[in-house]
Amino acid sequence: MKKAIALLMGLTMAASLTACGGSQSTTATAAPAAQTEKAAEGDTEAAKAEEQTEAAKTEEKKSGNDKLVVGFAQIGQESGWRDAETNDVQWYAARNTDTIELTFADAQQKQENQIKAIRNFIEMGVDVIVFPPVVETGWEAVLTECQEADIPVILVDRGIDASAGDDLYTTMIASDHVWAGEQAAIVMNDLLEGNGKVVELEGTVGASAAVQRKKGFDEYIAANCPDIEIVDSQTGDFTRAMGKEVMESFLKTYSDIDAVFCHNDDMALGAIEAIKEAGKKPGQDIKIIGVDGVKGAFEAILAGEMNCTVECTPILAEQIFDTAAKLKNGETVDKWIMSADGVYTEDKVTQEVVDGRQY
Ligand code: AHR
């Protein structure tokens, strides 16, 4: 039922976004430039008038709607985790249509599509823009446009490159990915009793979730586990299919892999398939740690085919819309609203825990 509502919302919202794509602003007759004055003065006047007109346009677009109008530019559907985040956001908005108006766009894994969607939201004059940046870099121009339009931006589940400056967005609601990598390394050290060969399945190249999980994991191992060697590390793009494919190639190249650290559970589930097809026992011959805490990973842990998942909650909707409402009201919020996540090793996963899993 929840999925059906979400699907319906998604279709309606996609249609509304398409309709808005070519929309023009409604106000805005530019004040006539002082044509008879000196050229330089005329240019200055015209520039001022244009600025005022732009400000008036923004004000007009933003007024007249008591509801909280939010534009959400989703990355795509690369993982079960991503679907859970989308469903949560759409479900929450669908239950609160008296106060929330959500416009949702699916960027199909492309940064250019996310940027296009954000520009549409600016044109529509939404109250707040929300998006998980597919990669860390390349956001300066569009985020500057959001600032110029005076629209607060909430980053969710991933961040942007710090060198771009954190004044480009208003706040970030996300897990601590460095912490997740470190927790995975601590568990890995326990599982291998301090000795073994590890391969790493990385997430999308350039995504903060991948960069930071790798940093946390690799640095902890390098500093604390002299007899654990990371023999190879390649991207599986956060997808189950690529996780399987890359694990197959690792298994062909290295005959002595003791463990795999996967930057998400979908890739871990793909790796489990590859390990089984290679005639080995996942979770036993080759230890497996993932990140996310999706139900499929919990089932695999219960079945003894996976050893640990480090949680990264996608259930963010309530926080997103509460924060957006505060920003619309002009309140200030923390720069990083960090999710509280857990580490689930085999001893913590029972049937009851699996049944109670929300995503
Ligand atoms: O940014 C969060 C990551 O993105 C999740 O770990 C992963 O499953 C998703 O694709």
Side-chain angles (χ1 to χ4, degrees):
M1 182 62 179
K2 185 173 159 182
K3 273 200 168 163
I5 293 172
L7 184 63
L8 196 60
M9 287 288 297
L11 291 174
T12 316
M13 289 159 183
S16 111
L17 183 66
T18 313
C20 291
S23 74
Q24 300 294 317
S25 61
T26 45
T27 6
T29 349
Q35 292 162 357
T36 53
E37 293 180 8
K38 284 186 283 181
E41 279 174 14
D43 284 353
T44 315
E45 286 305 310
K48 268 191 204 156
E50 201 175 315
E51 238 171 62
Q52 282 164 0
T53 306
E54 284 307 317
K57 275 187 202 173
T58 306
E59 272 319 301
E60 174 155 330
K61 280 186 208 163
K62 289 176 94 175
S63 63
N65 196 336
D66 289 342
K67 290 187 188 181
L68 172 64
V69 183
V70 172
F72 191 113
Q74 182 57 286
I75 292 174
Q77 302 173 16
E78 78 277 13
S79 61
W81 186 98
R82 183 72 46 208
D83 293 343
E85 183 186 71
T86 293
N87 289 342
D88 185 46
V89 165
Q90 294 184 335
W91 178 77
Y92 192 93
R95 287 189 51 171
N96 292 283
T97 47
D98 49 334
T99 54
I100 294 172
E101 198 175 299
L102 172 70
T103 301
F104 183 88
D106 178 338
Q108 302 184 339
Q109 313 308 130
K110 292 201 174 90
Q111 183 177 30
E112 68 202 69
N113 289 345
Q114 272 193 308
I115 291 174
K116 206 163 146 193
I118 293 167
R119 291 203 165 115
N120 268 325
F121 297 152
I122 296 173
E123 177 62 27
M124 290 164 65
V126 300
D127 295 314
V128 179
I129 290 173
V130 183
F131 76 104
V134 60
V135 290
E136 287 184 306
T137 54
W139 300 102
E140 286 85 345
V142 75
L143 289 179
T144 303
E145 289 166 38
C146 294
Q147 270 181 345
E148 284 165 1
D150 202 19
I151 300 176
V153 171
I154 303 177
L155 303 182
V156 281
D157 80 72
R158 295 184 189 179
I160 58 170
D161 185 14
S163 67
D166 68 1
D167 59 338
L168 280 175
Y169 62 92
T170 316
T171 182
M172 176 174 77
I173 301 174
S175 295
D176 183 342
H177 301 307
V178 176
W179 173 85
E182 284 166 359
Q183 295 306 307
I186 291 166
V187 175
M188 185 65 85
N189 192 31
D190 286 349
L191 288 170
L192 297 181
E193 293 172 357
N195 192 309
K197 289 190 169 26
V198 176
V199 289
E200 191 170 345
L201 280 171
E202 298 173 29
T204 302
V205 176
S208 75
V211 173
Q212 292 172 6
R213 285 171 191 168
K214 182 169 182 58
K215 179 181 161 62
F217 185 80
D218 290 10
E219 287 183 3
Y220 186 92
I221 296 286
N224 302 287
C225 316
D227 296 321
I228 293 182
E229 187 189 352
I230 301 170
V231 291
D232 210 335
S233 180
Q234 284 178 33
T235 182
D237 205 19
F238 280 134
T239 70
R240 186 169 179 152
M242 265 193 78
K244 182 178 180 198
E245 204 179 302
V246 178
M247 192 66 206
E248 280 167 355
S249 117
F250 283 154
L251 288 163
K252 281 183 194 142
T253 312
Y254 310 98
S255 56
D256 52 355
I257 298 169
D258 297 304
V260 53
F261 168 47
C262 309
H263 288 190
N264 80 348
D265 287 341
D266 274 49
M267 292 191 295
L269 296 172
I272 289 174
E273 289 174 35
I275 292 167
K276 279 186 185 168
E277 284 171 21
K280 297 197 175 192
K281 287 191 182 133
Q284 295 176 45
D285 298 333
I286 297 181
K287 309 286 186 194
I288 305 175
I289 300 177
V291 181
D292 277 356
V294 300
K295 199 169 191 140
F298 276 74
E299 285 164 350
I301 293 172
L302 197 60
E305 295 185 338
M306 191 167 160
N307 308 88
C308 172
T309 181
V310 182
E311 192 177 34
C312 166
T313 184
I315 307 303
L316 301 171
E318 190 172 351
Q319 270 179 311
I320 290 171
F321 289 109
D322 282 356
T323 305
K326 284 183 186 159
L327 295 175
K328 183 177 179 176
N329 288 339
E331 292 172 44
T332 43
V333 299
D334 289 345
K335 195 73 194 181
W336 182 3
I337 301 167
M338 197 191 291
S339 309
D341 297 310
V343 179
Y344 292 88
T345 41
E346 290 151 279
D347 53 311
K348 293 194 183 122
V349 179
T350 59
Q351 188 61 53
E352 210 182 349
V353 172
V354 174
D355 294 342
R357 221 44 215 165
Q358 211 183 331
Y359 61 95

